[in-house]
Amino acid sequence: MKRKISFILPILLLVALIGVYMYFAIYFQSHTLFKTTVKGIPVDKLTKEQTQDKLHDRLKTTSFDIINQSTEWKKIPKEDLGMTYDIEKTTNNIFSKQNPWSWPLAFFQKQEYPAVTAPTNEKKLTATLEQVKVDLEAYNKEQTQTKDASIEFIDNHYTIVKEVQGASLNLNQAMTQIKKDILEGQANVNLTSFIEKPKTVSTDKELVAAVDEIERLNSQPISYSINGQKIEVPKEISHTWFTFADQKVALDKDKIKEYITELGNKYNTSTNFSKFNSTKRGEVTVPAGAYSWTIATDTEVAELSNLLLAGNGVENRVPSFQGSATPGAALIGNTYIEVDLQAQHMWLYKDGKSVLDTPVVTGKPSTPTPPGVFYVWNKKEDEILRGEDYASPVDYWMPIDWTGVGIHDSPWQNADAYGGTSYKTVGSHGCINTPPAVCAKLFSMIDVGIPVIIF
């Protein structure tokens, strides 16, 4: 009898084990396996309907967390990110991939499944990320800013200022990674990953060597030749130009541009009035005209920068310019034509001496001769001057601006019309009418390019 019982017990145990195995194998045909989770949410031993219900409730509250060190800085519900989950696909994915017949293994290993997302609402995601960026910018302003080691001019010499390791964030890097992690379904991101680090530290050998190099470069003379004057760049200005960037001595071109712009504002003859010692009225102020120049700021900044870094000195430099005149000499020298509108008189000066003068007739009040510093840019004989209501043949034509104003003979004027106030009644359309015989002499005595000062 005992032998019979010892034989039957193992069989009964085996049958029981098979029964248990088959029970759970059948059970897990319609239920999830042990230790089954979706995004950390436990959904084990649930039917398909129960799984869907639980995921629907729990995934609605799932968020993306932005952490600062170990503290939650911002929690963003996935719905605010335009992300929703396809619960049915997520559940079907579980039941299609789990193997009910291997249910005993589920005791020993976790069954983790992703939550299948529906197409992202990009508009909603963008709007939320824009607000995150605004919040991060505000956060960044409150943090100690990370600064590179730099070279500064202190107490009349250059010295290295130590770097600062702050808590400020690289916002572009942070926003790029946050969006990437959201789209990849990550649960959180830590802001400490984006703390800026100094790119240059005070012990960098290139920075140490740069101090001596900047001292040398700033010691070179820097001056301009403008309007016949030598203009030295003050050291208190030039010392701010030299800096250190990308591991080498560099220039702050914005500061150089600021100085060149101020130089132009002060000296450009295209926008500034000129002082002129007239024959009858002493010093007069003459507005800008066609004979002028303007510093070409961007070109000059580039060229000056190259010269400064070469370190050979920049003395009496004529700046890069645009215009009909050059900054390298006084705009009005010792050879010029002077037209006094008030006196109705014209003079030709050569090498500082008056070699010809004559009364003239200038523009009538309705079409006045423009004041300014001009120049004879061409000389022609036997021309016909044309306007809306006239066509006047002249023997000598010397244009001085780009609107048709010039000096020419005027045989139609009475000999006694030149000078005085006759311009008020028989004045020109803006040109300087000159007695024919005198105009012939003037034509033969001047070259193209001579300045014409009208005031």
Side-chain angles (χ1 to χ4, degrees):
M1 187 71 179
K2 286 183 179 180
R3 248 184 229 177
K4 191 174 183 179
I5 292 173
S6 63
F7 177 75
I8 293 173
L9 281 177
I11 294 175
L12 291 174
L13 181 60
L14 178 62
V15 170
L17 289 173
I18 292 172
V20 170
Y21 173 80
M22 292 301 297
Y23 171 81
F24 281 107
I26 294 169
Y27 176 83
F28 288 121
Q29 299 284 340
S30 58
H31 291 73
T32 54
L33 290 172
F34 300 114
K35 297 185 178 180
T36 299
T37 63
V38 175
K39 286 186 70 64
I41 302 169
V43 289
D44 52 313
K45 305 184 294 297
L46 299 179
T47 65
K48 183 177 287 189
E49 186 178 55
Q50 290 171 333
T51 302
Q52 289 179 352
D53 289 343
K54 186 168 186 178
L55 290 178
H56 186 272
D57 291 339
R58 296 290 296 276
L59 286 178
K60 280 184 70 174
T61 62
T62 298
S63 63
F64 180 81
D65 300 333
I66 301 177
I67 300 166
N68 186 12
Q69 295 181 352
S70 59
T71 304
E72 182 184 282
W73 181 75
K74 183 179 286 291
K75 180 183 286 289
I76 310 172
K78 284 292 178 71
E79 286 186 348
D80 290 351
L81 295 168
M83 300 182 70
T84 55
Y85 296 98
D86 192 322
I87 304 299
E88 185 175 353
K89 279 188 178 181
T90 300
T91 306
N92 289 340
N93 182 49
I94 296 171
F95 281 90
S96 66
K97 289 185 177 180
Q98 74 175 14
N99 183 358
W101 300 100
S102 63
W103 64 265
L105 298 176
F107 277 114
F108 308 103
Q109 59 186 27
K110 190 176 182 180
Q111 317 297 312
E112 174 64 41
Y113 292 91
V116 179
T117 58
T120 302
N121 183 330
E122 286 289 342
K123 187 175 181 180
K124 200 169 186 179
L125 174 62
T126 299
T128 300
L129 287 178
E130 285 178 354
Q131 184 57 51
V132 170
K133 185 177 181 180
V134 170
D135 294 341
L136 282 176
E137 287 172 345
Y139 166 84
N140 232 18
K141 289 179 181 178
E142 298 174 355
Q143 308 309 308
T144 300
Q145 300 299 302
T146 294
K147 293 181 181 179
D148 290 341
S150 60
I151 298 174
E152 294 185 13
F153 193 75
I154 301 173
D155 295 333
N156 294 318
H157 68 277
Y158 292 94
T159 187
I160 293 175
V161 176
K162 188 175 172 59
E163 70 279 2
V164 175
Q165 176 58 69
S168 56
L169 307 176
N170 184 323
L171 291 184
N172 289 334
Q173 184 184 359
M175 291 307 302
T176 298
Q177 190 62 44
I178 287 171
K179 182 175 182 179
K180 181 174 181 291
D181 287 351
I182 288 171
L183 293 177
E184 290 179 353
Q186 301 296 327
N188 57 65
V189 67
N190 201 314
L191 294 180
T192 56
S193 304
F194 314 114
I195 292 176
E196 295 179 304
K197 293 180 173 56
K199 300 182 186 68
T200 303
V201 297
S202 58
T203 55
D204 287 350
K205 60 182 181 180
E206 294 86 358
L207 184 65
V208 174
V211 174
D212 291 336
E213 178 64 3
I214 291 178
E215 287 279 10
R216 184 185 74 81
L217 292 177
N218 191 48
S219 67
Q220 64 186 308
I222 309 171
S223 64
Y224 279 99
S225 178
I226 297 179
N227 286 343
Q229 304 174 51
K230 182 177 182 178
I231 300 168
E232 294 186 358
V233 179
K235 290 299 180 186
E236 58 265 27
I237 290 178
S238 65
H239 80 69
T240 67
W241 296 352
F242 296 97
T243 184
F244 182 81
D246 299 326
Q247 302 301 304
K248 62 184 179 181
V249 174
L251 290 166
D252 188 330
K253 292 188 177 180
D254 288 338
K255 289 184 179 178
I256 296 177
K257 185 173 183 177
E258 183 179 321
Y259 176 77
I260 299 300
T261 300
E262 290 177 0
L263 210 61
N265 291 339
K266 185 174 181 179
Y267 294 105
N268 284 342
T269 57
S270 59
T271 52
N272 288 293
F273 283 59
S274 295
K275 297 293 185 181
F276 174 67
N277 289 316
S278 68
T279 302
K280 285 193 170 185
R281 289 195 268 154
E283 186 177 83
V284 294
T285 301
V286 185
Y291 190 60
S292 62
W293 53 263
T294 303
I295 293 177
T297 303
D298 291 339
T299 302
E300 180 56 24
V301 169
E303 293 185 3
L304 177 60
S305 297
N306 290 335
L307 292 171
L308 291 174
L309 289 176
N312 299 319
V314 183
E315 293 192 83
N316 295 315
R317 173 172 169 76
V318 176
S320 303
F321 68 95
Q322 298 170 323
S324 53
T326 172
L331 186 66
I332 305 168
N334 294 324
T335 298
Y336 55 85
I337 295 171
E338 174 186 349
V339 179
D340 187 331
L341 299 173
Q342 182 178 298
Q344 288 291 288
H345 207 90
M346 178 169 67
W347 292 265
L348 169 62
Y349 280 85
K350 281 193 171 183
D351 298 324
K353 295 181 180 180
S354 175
V355 295
L356 180 150
D357 72 278
T358 178
V360 293
V361 175
T362 61
K364 57 182 177 288
S366 60
T367 55
T369 300
V373 182
F374 303 96
Y375 71 109
V376 174
W377 58 268
N378 201 356
K379 289 170 63 180
K380 288 187 176 182
E381 296 184 62
D382 301 323
E383 282 289 301
I384 297 178
L385 307 180
R386 300 181 186 277
E388 292 183 6
D389 56 355
Y390 67 91
S392 303
V394 298
D395 293 331
Y396 304 102
W397 168 235
M398 293 158 277
I400 64 171
D401 78 350
W402 310 114
T403 66
V405 174
I407 303 169
H408 61 78
D409 54 299
S410 49
W412 56 84
Q413 296 282 13
N414 291 325
D416 58 357
Y418 297 99
T421 59
S422 58
Y423 74 95
K424 294 182 179 179
T425 54
V426 295
S428 70
H429 291 85
C431 288
I432 296 97
N433 286 186
T434 309
V438 179
C439 196
K441 289 181 182 180
L442 178 68
F443 190 88
S444 66
M445 294 173 72
I446 66 170
D447 295 320
V448 169
I450 187 172
V452 179
I453 298 90
I454 302 174
F455 58 93

